[in-house]
Amino acid sequence: MATYSLVIRRLMIVSLTIVVSRAITSPLLTLFLSNKLGLDQQDVGLLLGIAVFTATLLALYGGYVIDRLEKRRLLILAMLSSAIGFVLLTFAENLYLTTLTVVITETASALFLIGSKAILSENLPIGQRAKAFSLRYTLTNIGYATGPMLGVVIAGVYPIAPFLIAGSIAFASIFLMTGIPADPASKPATSTPPSFLTTLNTLKNDRTLIMFTCGCLLSTVVHGRFTLYLSQYLLVTHDSERALQIMAALLACNAITVILLQYQIGRFLDREKLRYWIAVGTSLFILGLIGFSLADDMLTWCAAMFIFTLGEMIIYPAEFLFVDTLAPEELRGSYYGAQNLAALGGALSPVICGYLLLHTPAPTMFYALSALTAIGGLLCYMSGSRVAVV
């Protein structure tokens, strides 16, 4: 951290605090909305699915806005929106207003993610970006490893306190971003910037970006919300107590592996050999999924999760580096926003896996996911080949 500029150091810290603010509420949101609005779990899932889907689409325009305006101020706006959203959730009474509030918080999260990537790119030399993104991802996982436990403990004392604390953390994070300089790349516009429709047309005509985003979407079905389909599988194949024990061990294994190894692996990612790294990451996903399908005790479950997590640690920074390589300087935010559409794969994951678990033998789910990530990895590899040629 000491080797980076003030902008990057504060961005890293804020990335951690924003993740903690979200993670504190993540294990409680479904139950909280169910109790406040009187909805069953299916309706709550639909509400959250609509919110994530809408936020992902809005993030495409958010990427365009990030290219047009000062990124630091937009990050501050995103953090303020998150803070207000968390507090407003404590007053949840009306279904439509609550859905709007969740959409705002999800959109603010996506905007912060896209904006922080763009700031990392424009403030760091090319050779340092992979290490910086891996460090940021490590800090993110530290937040997700500690936040949920903290939220559950606090909720046991006062149910709405986690949301108030999350809002306070997001609001306090704003002050870390107010004391840093404006974007170094900000220059007076010499010509009229392209309209949003023109930018969309540019993105649409970039076949490499489209192919890569489709590949990422298929891969995200596998790694975006893996905790959801693993929980679904375990509840089908084990009693609830055993399922919770295995799930707790898998989450701990995933968090510890990322925290200990993510930065070390990220240091070795080579921009010139990015497609090979993606192939390795995809292969590790497939091995991990096959391991899950064969696991019959805690040790084999954790071994499969370790292999799966290695793939996760390669794919996340590799996706960032690929878009960073592909994007023109003036459209960096728009390209990150377009690639963020791959997050829709995470929303599709529990739907696909729930259907497979209901209509096929349980292990079939993992083989179907292996096929999806193989196709996704192939599309990403082909995209990398096209960039290498260019």
Side-chain angles (χ1 to χ4, degrees):
M1 288 282 284
T3 62
Y4 296 120
S5 66
L6 176 65
V7 175
I8 300 301
R9 291 201 304 271
R10 292 201 178 186
L11 182 63
M12 293 291 186
I13 296 171
V14 168
S15 295
L16 174 60
T17 57
I18 289 298
V19 165
V20 169
S21 71
R22 287 181 58 80
I24 285 176
T25 63
S26 62
L28 308 167
L29 186 58
T30 301
L31 179 61
F32 182 80
L33 292 178
S34 178
N35 291 338
K36 291 283 284 187
L37 300 176
L39 303 175
D40 58 30
Q41 291 302 308
Q42 182 176 354
D43 290 336
V44 172
L46 180 61
L47 185 156
L48 295 177
I50 291 172
V52 171
F53 181 80
T54 305
T56 302
L57 294 181
L58 289 175
L60 182 61
Y61 182 74
Y64 168 79
V65 172
I66 285 171
D67 287 328
R68 306 278 78 80
L69 303 177
E70 187 188 335
K71 299 174 183 61
R72 179 182 60 93
R73 291 183 179 177
L74 288 172
L75 256 62
I76 290 173
L77 176 62
M79 288 185 281
L80 181 61
S81 300
S82 292
I84 294 173
F86 286 131
V87 174
L88 288 180
L89 281 176
T90 63
F91 300 98
E93 298 291 345
N94 181 279
L95 174 62
Y96 300 105
L97 291 178
T98 301
T99 303
L100 178 62
T101 302
V102 177
V103 168
I104 290 172
T105 57
E106 291 291 335
T107 304
S109 175
L111 186 65
F112 181 88
L113 178 62
I114 295 168
S116 61
K117 287 180 178 179
I119 290 177
L120 279 177
S121 291
E122 71 179 20
N123 283 274
L124 286 172
I126 291 177
Q128 293 184 20
R129 291 174 190 172
K131 291 189 289 185
F133 188 76
S134 289
L135 176 58
R136 180 184 174 281
Y137 186 59
T138 302
L139 293 174
T140 296
N141 277 274
I142 292 174
Y144 277 120
T146 58
M149 293 183 291
L150 184 61
V152 170
V153 171
I154 296 172
V157 179
Y158 189 49
I160 68 170
F163 295 91
L164 298 175
I165 292 173
S168 300
I169 293 173
F171 183 76
S173 300
I174 293 174
F175 296 99
L176 286 171
M177 297 299 292
T178 55
I180 64 176
D183 299 346
S186 297
K187 299 177 182 177
T190 56
S191 60
T192 303
S195 66
F196 180 55
L197 290 178
T198 302
T199 302
L200 279 181
N201 192 53
T202 301
L203 297 174
K204 182 190 70 174
N205 291 330
D206 191 331
R207 302 298 176 84
T208 303
L209 174 66
I210 292 174
M211 183 186 297
F212 184 75
T213 301
C214 289
C216 289
L217 189 149
L218 293 176
S219 294
T220 305
V221 172
V222 175
H223 67 76
R225 301 289 177 93
F226 67 87
T227 55
L228 294 181
Y229 66 73
L230 284 178
S231 298
Q232 290 173 296
Y233 177 85
L234 288 170
L235 288 172
V236 168
T237 57
H238 297 74
D239 62 77
S240 58
E241 182 179 353
R242 181 60 176 168
L244 287 175
Q245 290 175 350
I246 295 175
M247 201 65 215
L250 294 181
L251 290 174
C253 178
N254 176 261
I256 293 171
T257 303
V258 171
I259 291 170
L260 293 180
L261 298 179
Q262 175 66 67
Y263 183 67
Q264 305 303 325
I265 289 178
R267 295 170 59 190
F268 294 103
L269 289 182
D270 187 346
R271 190 178 292 262
E272 284 71 30
K273 298 179 180 178
L274 212 49
R275 63 188 187 278
Y276 300 114
W277 280 106
I278 290 174
V280 171
T282 301
S283 300
L284 289 169
F285 276 148
I286 294 172
L287 289 175
L289 289 168
I290 293 174
F292 289 145
S293 72
L294 301 175
D296 57 1
D297 57 39
M298 191 72 77
L299 180 61
T300 51
W301 273 108
C302 288
M305 176 53 75
F306 176 74
I307 295 171
F308 185 92
T309 304
L310 291 178
E312 178 189 4
M313 291 189 296
I314 292 172
I315 291 297
Y316 270 104
E319 289 178 353
F320 163 77
L321 280 181
F322 185 92
V323 179
D324 183 66
T325 302
L326 187 64
E329 190 67 36
E330 69 278 4
L331 293 177
R332 204 171 289 279
S334 298
Y335 268 67
Y336 286 133
Q339 194 271 330
N340 188 66
L341 292 174
L344 294 174
L348 293 173
S349 179
V351 178
I352 295 172
C353 294
Y355 178 85
L356 291 172
L357 288 172
L358 186 63
H359 297 284
T360 65
T364 303
M365 178 188 77
F366 292 119
Y367 303 128
L369 291 174
S370 297
L372 287 178
T373 196
I375 297 171
L378 178 61
L379 290 175
C380 291
Y381 183 88
M382 292 168 61
S383 304
S385 300
R386 295 179 63 160
V387 170
V389 172
V390 175

